[in-house]
Every structure is written in C-alpha cells, then in structure tokens.
Amino acid sequence: MGSYYLAKLIQEGEHQQQDFKYCISDSKKIAKSLVAFANTDGGRLLIGVKDNGNIVGVQSEEEYYMVEAAAKVFSKPQIDFTTRQHQAEGKTVLEVTIESSQNKPHFAKTEEGKWLAYFRLKDENKLANKVMIEVWRKQKRKQGILLHYSEKEQLLLDLLEKSGSISQSAFSKQACITYRESVRILSDLIVLGVLEINTEDDKIRYVISEDFDREEWDTENPN
C-alpha cells in the first residue's frame, strides 16, 4: 500500500503542490521550498526522489533534522510540517507535508543573510514582490481597510478596463505616484476583492476580479 501510494505521487511529477529533492545538502535551500508552499497552497516534498522520478532514497535521519532546521531556523515565522517515510525498491523516501499557512508572509534566509518571501508557481519557487507581501500582511489584520476612492484608484480601474492587466511599475509610472503608494493601492484593492494577481505568463500582473462590478462600486464610492 505504501509503495503504491508513493508511486502514484511520483507519477504526478513536480507541480504546484509537489517538489522532488534528490537529497538535502543545505537547509537554507529547503527553507525556500517550505516558505513557497506555506505562502501558497501548501504542498509536499519527496526527499530521495530525482527530478526524473527515479527513487534514490535517503541515507539516514539527517534529512529530517535538516528539514527541521529549515522550518525552525531558516524560516521566519517558523513553519509547521509533518513527515512520513515510504519504503520502495528497498529504499526510504521522506515525505514532508506543509499546509497553506494562516500566518503569511513567511520568509526564508538566504546565503547572504537576507530574509526573502517566496510563492509557488507551477513547479517553481518564485520570489514574492512587495504587493504580495503587503496583501498577506493586510489579510491577517483584524481591522478592516479604509480606502479613499481617489482619482488614482479610478485611473487604475480605467487602465485595467482598457488593457486587461497592468504591472506595478507601469501603474506607478502612469499615475505619477511613488512605488510605495502604488503598492498600497494595489494591495488594498486586492484585499477588498477588486483586483486579483495574475501570474499566467510567469510575470506578476494585476487584473480586475471577475466578481467586481465597477458600476456598483462607483455608486457606493462617490467622489
């Protein structure tokens, strides 16, 4: 049963919620994967499996302790995880499961000592931008968001209705506002459900939510 379950997982390949690791040589690199899963939809690491799905196994309990260090020392805040061992082909594969966190954003410590946030996109860990980080922070707050529906917000919606999507830098430039202000406006509107983050082309852009009604919004938020 255990080997059949593992075979099914490996057959899925690497994807948004699954990553293969041949071995663990650096807890910092594993922290990046843990953080990306925790900041997105959760997922699992299969340690002892090559990228092509071949099972090589883990050699000792050292891998567990390196995962623990990645989750508790090189991730901030710490990340909860569970583990499970699978036996297949006479080898041991360590399954590490991470749930989508309620305590986002999580940051991983780099070799240079910097703390960076990541998210999971398809089968890759991507660097989160400032807008994403602000959205995660604002979603945790107990108090709501007080939004002043100004000409800048209206301009953003006008631009999106014309072009379909926009980058943070393009919005900042066209609205003649600072980077910080553009981050605040974009993150506020995402938390309020007006905008969504789009990563379809492996680039972070912003689009109007399908559920957003501009006419109703303008009526409820007059100048």
Side-chain angles (χ1 to χ4, degrees):
M1 179 67 178
S3 60
Y4 174 72
Y5 169 78
L6 177 62
K8 282 189 65 178
L9 294 182
I10 292 175
Q11 192 174 22
E12 292 177 8
E14 295 182 303
H15 52 73
Q16 179 101 356
Q17 293 181 281
Q18 181 163 282
D19 199 4
F20 298 158
K21 293 296 179 185
Y22 166 65
C23 64
I24 301 178
S25 58
D26 188 344
S27 288
K28 292 188 180 73
K29 291 181 181 178
I30 294 298
K32 182 177 176 180
S33 293
L34 300 184
V35 161
F37 281 135
N39 281 337
T40 315
D41 303 318
R44 73 178 71 85
L45 290 174
L46 293 180
I47 303 170
V49 179
K50 286 187 173 182
D51 289 345
N52 61 9
N54 288 343
I55 296 173
V56 293
V58 292
Q59 301 301 318
S60 66
E61 293 183 352
E62 185 177 348
E63 279 80 5
Y64 174 86
Y65 295 112
M66 293 190 76
V67 171
E68 187 174 46
K72 295 185 177 181
V73 178
F74 299 112
S75 300
K76 183 174 66 174
Q78 294 184 10
I79 293 174
D80 294 328
F81 68 94
T82 58
T83 61
R84 180 178 176 184
Q85 289 190 359
H86 302 282
Q87 304 298 322
E89 301 175 11
K91 300 167 185 174
T92 301
V93 171
L94 182 64
E95 177 186 356
V96 181
T97 303
I98 304 96
E99 300 294 334
S100 179
S101 176
Q102 300 298 314
N103 198 27
K104 305 180 182 96
H106 290 272
F107 298 83
K109 192 173 186 179
T110 67
E111 294 289 342
E112 298 75 25
K114 296 181 179 179
W115 290 93
L116 301 178
Y118 298 88
F119 69 101
R120 186 77 174 171
L121 178 61
K122 298 176 183 176
D123 61 350
E124 295 184 291
N125 302 321
K126 298 284 190 178
L127 186 66
N129 67 3
K130 185 64 175 176
V131 174
M132 284 183 169
I133 293 171
E134 283 303 302
V135 168
W136 291 328
R137 285 174 172 161
K138 289 174 181 178
Q139 287 173 335
K140 286 196 302 185
R141 295 177 185 170
K142 294 181 179 179
Q143 67 270 33
I145 292 175
L146 180 61
L147 177 70
H148 176 56
Y149 188 44
S150 69
E151 293 180 357
K152 295 161 189 174
E153 285 80 9
Q154 293 178 52
L155 172 62
L156 174 58
L157 294 179
D158 290 341
L159 291 170
L160 286 171
E161 287 180 346
K162 290 179 182 178
S163 62
S165 68
I166 197 168
S167 66
Q168 179 273 326
S169 58
F171 169 50
S172 179
K173 183 177 181 180
Q174 294 192 54
C176 298
I177 58 177
T178 64
Y179 171 86
R180 179 178 294 182
E181 189 169 8
S182 67
V183 168
R184 178 189 62 77
I185 292 172
L186 287 166
S187 59
D188 278 351
L189 292 178
I190 291 169
V191 174
L192 289 171
V194 177
L195 303 184
E196 294 178 355
I197 298 174
N198 183 291
T199 54
E200 286 182 2
D201 299 324
D202 290 347
K203 295 179 180 178
I204 300 175
R205 297 180 67 83
Y206 306 93
V207 299
I208 294 177
S209 172
E210 292 182 0
D211 298 327
F212 176 66
D213 187 329
R214 176 76 185 271
E215 185 175 345
E216 181 180 348
W217 177 269
D218 288 339
T219 300
E220 294 178 352
N221 298 275
N223 290 333

